[in-house]
Amino acid sequence: MRRAVPQRPFLAALLVLLLGLLTPAPAAAAGAAGTVLRHTPVVFVHGYGDTAAAFDGFEDYLHAHGYLGSDLAEWGYDWTESNAANADRFGAFLDRAFPGRQVDVVAHSMGSLVTRRYLKDGGAARVRAWVSLGGPNHGAGDAVYCGPFGPFCDLHAASLAEMAPGSAFLTALNDGDETPGATRYLTFSSACDQQVPPGDSRIPESTRLAGAENILLPVGDSGCPSHGGLLGNDWIRQRILTEFAADPAEPVTPARGPFRITVNQARLTGSEENAPEIYDGITLTTDGTTTALWHRDRAAATAFPDWDPWYGLDDTARSRVFTDEATIRVTATDADYSAGNNDDVLAAGRVHWDGALGFGRHTALFHGVDGGEVTVVYTVTPEPAAPVCRIRVDRAELAYFDDGTTRPALYGDIAVRTADGTRTPLWSRSADSPATFPNKGARTDPDPYFYQRIGAATSYGPGPLELSVRLWDHDASSADDLVARGTADWNPYGDAPGTRTTAFQGDDGGRVEVTWTVLCG
């Protein structure tokens, strides 16, 4: 149902802005000592050809004005795919990142179409306020040629054809109520926008939506930003901050440091490239200090080692004690050395942890083009009070592997990694000297259960413990087969101590079973 849009005369709006500038940041208005305000989360969605990092400056702005880092999120997506498919992924992201909470959305350019499709399909109940910066809500004039040349646009990016004025996607999106639900809609367009100009005769006032508050710049001292300049315009940022102030906020008491963060795993999956050569990297920032966990220059681009569940992370940096906030940033760029092709960003963005988010294991997903997805698993625990635990490997045996022989020549290792970054192999062989691994069908080891302990007096902790298996069968006549690979994590704040058996899978039916025990005290 169409809602009446409240009228806000310019002088009244200007007064609101001036009052906002004179009012302390929301966090400073918190009540009891140690409490801060938890705001409605804000999710930033970039535009065509961009990455989640486009909103870093805007996110920093809200953080400086009292927003918790854990209430801010940059969502990246594959802008070459259809807006409808990305809208479904946006909904899945909200369910994972902010389950059960309403959010505010700030979308730039084509991100407006992705998020509007989500709202149109029933997501309006999850969104309190929706903001469009230069959104081609009724089409982009430069995409008009996608009408007669739709197959060409689809070949390069399905989203291009959907931005063509009159496309089936836009027709359905704008059919009926353009601003559904109880969501507050706010749009910004600029007379100096070159990509979605409000004066474009092919599709005039494309950003404007019926039922929204539509602002055409320049207004007052707002300046006249370009399409990209809409992201960094301080007048727009202040106006949006004022809009979001209408949302309720609740006082919370964050946990106090020191904390320990450990980046447990980082993996690239889902890339449509056969063998992407990756550069850029992963960084961890704590208390204002940034350290690279993984880094490559373009000249040294390399495939992320898929045999290493830790992605080759720097063990000296991936576990750190801090007192306030931690940020993990990912940029994974595929070096495309063929002529005429640009390098593709397979995944980009950043996530924040602060004391209001909670302890334990967290998973962050970063997306980009070509189906790229980087998964980062990290654990945060209170540093002083974490229990001191030790892990003991009781048994490891090759349950099954069929390579046509009864005694495969195995190499690789079984290892334990602890929160301080130390990785201790329990069993290891090099490819130059493979050995028969204890096998249920043909044991040759004097110990039939491959009984092996880390010394009973050795303690590990605080923080998570990780058990990893990576074994290959050396085959001199052909490529080596992966027998088993994987990891098992143990988190002192979410998992109980005790004994368990974990199976690790591989090719040719490969299956290694490891029985291990965690003791705390």
Side-chain angles (χ1 to χ4, degrees), residues 43 73-75 88-98 365 367:
V43 180
E74 303 170 338
W75 181 65
D88 292 339
R89 295 179 183 125
F90 180 67
F93 166 78
L94 294 185
D95 291 340
R96 183 178 66 252
F98 302 108
L365 301 181
H367 298 91

Side-chain angles (χ1 to χ4, degrees), residues 7 41 52 66 81 140 160 169 217 269 287 316 319 352 359 368 384 476 486 494 506:
Q7 298 300 312
E81 295 194 15
L160 273 177
F169 173 83
L217 304 179
T269 59
D287 297 335
T316 65
S319 184
H352 309 283
F359 298 122

